[in-house]
Amino acid sequence: MKRREMLKAVGLMTGAMAAANQAVLAAATGVGKEKVPKPVLRVVHITDVHIRTGDNAPDRFKKCLKEITGQKVDFFLNGGDSINDASYDNVKRESVTEQWSLWDDCLRSIGQYEVYSCIGNHDPWWAAPSQTDEMYGKEYVVKRLKIPGRYYSFPKKNWHFIILDGNNKNISLDEEQFTWLEQELARLPASTPTLLMSHYPILGTTPILVGGGHSDHKKLKDLFYKHRDKVKVCLSGHNHLYDKTLYNGVLYCCNGAMSGYWWGKGDKESAGAGYYLETPPGYAILNLYEDGTVTNDYTPHAYL
């Protein structure tokens, strides 16, 4: 072998050995590997169940819950409008009582899970004989949903969860609640991943299509930007439509309704049986990761 060819061959062998040694070192130390986020929670978001006696809704809802619990989930987030409607002027006490009894019966099938709920616009009974009636308004809903208050927060693993009450003037947070939210976000340690849930969309496409969004969205957007190291995702329902919007690093997810077209077959604008516009009835599964990343996957159900 000529000297030049021999030197070239030696160089190639040396380079190959060095590359192999680097690969072994990387495998042993993790250097050079892309870090995979660690999953910490798997949460289901149901919203707009609108439970009632008609259209076999209770049985269909129970089948949905059975389908969900057949998957690995840690707990439920319920986005409101749990009962079909208590908010209209002609609703009687017996109807409100019946609807909440149906809700209780359905939730017994998932009694092993924690359920964190917010209040929907159809949940409170405003037509009670008086404001002193025990079933009047939001406080009765708080009692029936077994939640700490009309707005509240709780920690799970390294995540923080904030549940809001947008059932105020022009769909907004009242001054007391907004001050509480400011203080809640400020007190959290830096970079604490935080999920917020309101019945109503804060930002997104669906309020442009059908309305129903927070009127204080700019005020909330500014607050979230101030705490952009913390606020990661905002969940909502109300519009019975599915939409994901990413803005300033916050994922705004309006998920479709469990009841779809209020458990009915739909109308001329429904894209399919049970759809509201182009959104089928269903629920969402969220995967929450240690580093604050999140996925929201909407799953249509088959109980039409």
Side-chain angles (χ1 to χ4, degrees), residues 86-89 91-93 96-97 100 119 123-144 150 167:
S87 65
Y88 293 139
D89 292 342
V91 176
K92 303 300 182 185
R93 186 184 303 274
V96 179
T97 301
W100 282 115
I119 301 172
D123 295 326
W125 186 38
W126 302 113
S130 72
Q131 294 187 16
T132 59
D133 191 295
E134 67 168 352
M135 291 177 63
Y136 173 82
K138 291 190 257 186
E139 287 306 312
Y140 183 70
V141 180
V142 167
K143 177 182 175 181
R144 295 311 301 250
R150 62 186 182 92
N167 298 285

Side-chain angles (χ1 to χ4, degrees), residues 239-255:
N239 285 348
H240 292 224
L241 297 173
Y242 174 52
D243 159 40
K244 286 196 292 190
T245 297
L246 183 65
Y247 188 72
N248 287 340
V250 180
L251 184 62
Y252 295 86
C253 300
C254 179
N255 286 312

Side-chain angles (χ1 to χ4, degrees), residues 150-274:
R150 62 186 182 92
Y151 57 87
Y152 59 98
S153 68
F154 61 94
K156 288 285 183 184
K157 300 289 180 70
N158 67 314
W159 276 75
H160 196 69
F161 296 81
I162 297 176
I163 311 301
L164 300 174
D165 169 26
N167 298 285
N168 304 292
K169 185 178 180 181
N170 298 323
I171 306 180
S172 65
L173 304 189
D174 52 281
E175 186 176 345
E176 172 193 290
Q177 184 180 182
F178 187 81
T179 299
W180 171 84
L181 178 59
E182 285 183 306
Q183 295 171 348
E184 185 74 5
L185 288 171
R187 74 171 184 81
L188 292 174
S191 301
T192 301
T194 301
L195 179 152
L196 296 97
M197 181 172 69
S198 175
H199 178 62
Y200 308 92
I202 293 174
L203 283 179
T205 301
T206 68
I208 297 173
L209 291 174
V210 297
H214 270 259
S215 64
D216 53 353
H217 56 272
K218 289 186 178 180
K219 188 177 179 181
L220 289 167
K221 177 266 296 180
D222 291 344
L223 177 62
F224 298 162
Y225 188 72
K226 181 180 178 181
H227 296 284
R228 57 191 178 276
D229 63 316
K230 302 170 188 174
V231 179
K232 301 300 180 184
V233 57
C234 293
L235 293 181
S236 67
H238 183 61
N239 285 348
H240 292 224
L241 297 173
Y242 174 52
D243 159 40
K244 286 196 292 190
T245 297
L246 183 65
Y247 188 72
N248 287 340
V250 180
L251 184 62
Y252 295 86
C253 300
C254 179
N255 286 312
M258 178 66 77
S259 63
Y261 195 85
W262 295 269
W263 300 107
K265 293 298 182 183
D267 62 11
K268 63 181 180 180
E269 292 187 286
S270 299

Side-chain angles (χ1 to χ4, degrees), residues 44-184:
V44 59
H45 178 226
I46 63 172
T47 188
D48 297 272
V49 174
H50 288 279
I51 200 65
R52 59 186 176 85
T53 55
D55 290 311
N56 201 25
D59 184 59
R60 292 159 69 189
F61 180 39
K62 287 178 183 178
K63 288 178 179 177
C64 293
L65 294 175
K66 185 177 180 180
E67 176 182 303
I68 292 168
T69 56
Q71 309 172 58
K72 183 179 177 357
V73 295
D74 292 299
F75 59 89
F76 282 70
L77 292 171
N78 168 39
D81 282 359
S82 302
I83 61 173
N84 188 50
D85 189 76
S87 65
Y88 293 139
D89 292 342
N90 62 345
V91 176
K92 303 300 182 185
R93 186 184 303 274
E94 294 75 20
S95 174
V96 179
T97 301
E98 178 186 57
Q99 291 176 70
W100 282 115
S101 295
L102 288 171
W103 174 258
D104 291 341
D105 179 61
C106 289
L107 255 63
R108 275 191 281 272
S109 67
I110 56 166
Q112 70 273 37
Y113 291 92
E114 293 175 311
V115 180
Y116 298 92
S117 301
C118 65
I119 301 172
N121 55 298
H122 288 290
D123 295 326
W125 186 38
W126 302 113
S130 72
Q131 294 187 16
T132 59
D133 191 295
E134 67 168 352
M135 291 177 63
Y136 173 82
K138 291 190 257 186
E139 287 306 312
Y140 183 70
V141 180
V142 167
K143 177 182 175 181
R144 295 311 301 250
L145 291 174
K146 300 179 176 65
I147 55 179
R150 62 186 182 92
Y151 57 87
Y152 59 98
S153 68
F154 61 94
K156 288 285 183 184
K157 300 289 180 70
N158 67 314
W159 276 75
H160 196 69
F161 296 81
I162 297 176
I163 311 301
L164 300 174
D165 169 26
N167 298 285
N168 304 292
K169 185 178 180 181
N170 298 323
I171 306 180
S172 65
L173 304 189
D174 52 281
E175 186 176 345
E176 172 193 290
Q177 184 180 182
F178 187 81
T179 299
W180 171 84
L181 178 59
E182 285 183 306
Q183 295 171 348
E184 185 74 5

